[in-house]
Amino acid sequence: MLGKECADLVHAVLASDWIGEPQVYFQLYVQFLANLVTAQALFLPDVLRMLVGNLAISPSSQGRSSDLSQVQIYARAHRALQYLLQIAPSACRILLSSVSTLFPYQTDSRRAHAVYVHNLLRIIEYAPVLQGDILALITERLVKIDLQVQEDLEDLAEDIGEGAFQHVPGAQIDMDSILNGQDDSDDESDTDEEVDEDMVRTKEITKTVEKMDCILDMLFAYYDQEISDLSNARQSRGINTLLAQFKTVILPAHRSRHTQFLLFHFIQQSPEHIDTFVGLCIETSFDKRRPAIVRQAAAAYLASFIARGKHVSSDFVREAWDYLSIELKRLHRELEPGCRGPNLQRYSTYYSLVQALLYIFCFRWQDLEAGSDEDDFEDDTMPSIYNQERSWRPGVKDTLQLNIFSKLNPLRVCSPAIVTEFARIAHHLQVIYVYHLLETNKRIRLSYHAGPSNYTQLNRETALTARKDEDHQHLDEYFPFDPYYLPRSKRWIEGDYREWTGVPGLEDDDVVESDSGEENDEGESDVEEGTETEGSRD
């Protein structure tokens, strides 16, 4: 019997180049592995780790003496692994540890990630009990890559950072070429002796973006098979898996940029899925037991999904608006009596819900009109609004008035870019006028309200004393379903996405006001500049 005293011998056999040997040798070796793990379970983690290692990119020397292709070698590793999982069902939990440990590093090549993710998805086929855990692992690593790309782009100038996406090829991937090592997209290198540092960093980011695009395209394809299946059980399993990953991986990862579009696409495939996702976001953003940052993120997801989802009907828009209005009314009643002025630190959840409301209004205001229906307007056209007062659903104006003109003063704390756009649209549609409040807000220093000990201090300032560093006192201008830039996987959300089109007649209205000397573009620019000294515009 092979016991602990034979560990060195066992490890030497496991390290041998066996997988490319003739078929008879391969079968005998797999049988040896089966006998080993059933007789001595202590070697099971080593065996599983060795097999999983054969599902990653192999050293260039491995298999040279064999006529087998790399695809055939991967197939052999899967056959051996499947056989061991059948005779030792408890191996599944141990397998997860090996799969996680051997996952490629963020700095590894696109091919390394593509090969490994492809093989992990193949494991799910014969070990469905691991589906949730394996998909969660892939999503977790994908989110890390996503976040790293955002951090890298923030360090570059805006025009240079955009080039990282423009140079990513949009052609579909040839998985066979990648598996067999015939894909050389990772081998490109600069031959110029003198290369601009920003260009070098841009090329590095481009490779990372291409890696992320490739993984997302593979996940879109995988979930498409799951959720498009005629079996209701399989559809539900796919949606539930996505929702579970949203709650545990995506939502807590602040500022993820592209990963969440997996949900965006598949959730919109049925009204029931939309209802579930919207309900989850509302429940999370209202839940006092959740951390403030998670509640704020849930509000951002709710607003962005309602605004950008092309298959989100008017009924969902109005329902979300009503839920937000009710919760804001409750928070207003609870918070305003003790409020001395705008304070993001104390009232962050309240402000995040107001910002969500403003964002939804900017995109879906037509659905908030009295008697509105999503079929009433085609191609984003609308009747002329000049010389007529618009009619709004009950509570729309009241909700805006109650919150905007409260002592909590959300327009001073919400993102300046969103506040500016809301002010323009709301004034144009004659629903509420806030420019006088924006002028007043220019003289309110948020820093004076940052802590409870500062309530007795003056809260006004002049242009000479205006501070320029209050970015942290404004809400993030983060909406997770902003435009999708990955060229290869973008095809999956075509037809699902609502582009920003603006409000018909708004630009003409701006010109009229400019000519008449009223609130003109220059005045609005002053509002924007006045707030931008205290809040950032991403």
Side-chain angles (χ1 to χ4, degrees), residues 459-521:
N459 63 352
R460 298 286 176 174
E461 66 182 2
T462 67
L464 295 176
T465 60
R467 293 186 55 179
K468 308 294 185 181
D469 58 351
E470 292 188 347
D471 297 22
H472 64 288
Q473 298 291 351
H474 287 278
L475 272 178
D476 252 349
E477 188 187 324
Y478 171 66
F479 288 94
F481 297 118
D482 277 351
Y484 190 94
Y485 292 121
L486 303 181
R488 179 178 291 115
S489 54
K490 187 176 182 178
R491 62 191 175 99
W492 293 98
I493 65 168
E494 291 178 356
D496 296 333
Y497 197 76
R498 183 185 299 271
E499 301 285 352
W500 170 255
T501 57
V503 179
L506 180 55
E507 298 302 326
D508 296 336
D509 199 26
D510 289 341
V511 172
V512 171
E513 291 182 349
S514 177
D515 293 339
S516 64
E518 297 176 0
E519 291 293 341
N520 54 26
D521 288 337

Side-chain angles (χ1 to χ4, degrees), residues 75-94:
R76 281 190 167 188
H78 281 296
R79 286 170 54 191
L81 187 56
Q82 181 177 4
Y83 181 61
L84 292 185
L85 293 178
Q86 290 174 347
I87 65 173
S90 62
C92 285
R93 307 316 304 178
I94 302 175

Side-chain angles (χ1 to χ4, degrees), residues 427-445:
H427 177 47
H428 179 73
L429 298 176
Q430 303 175 23
V431 63
I432 191 172
Y433 182 84
V434 299
Y435 281 119
H436 61 295
L437 177 59
L438 298 187
E439 290 296 327
T440 301
N441 281 346
K442 292 180 185 179
R443 299 184 293 277
I444 296 179
R445 291 182 60 178

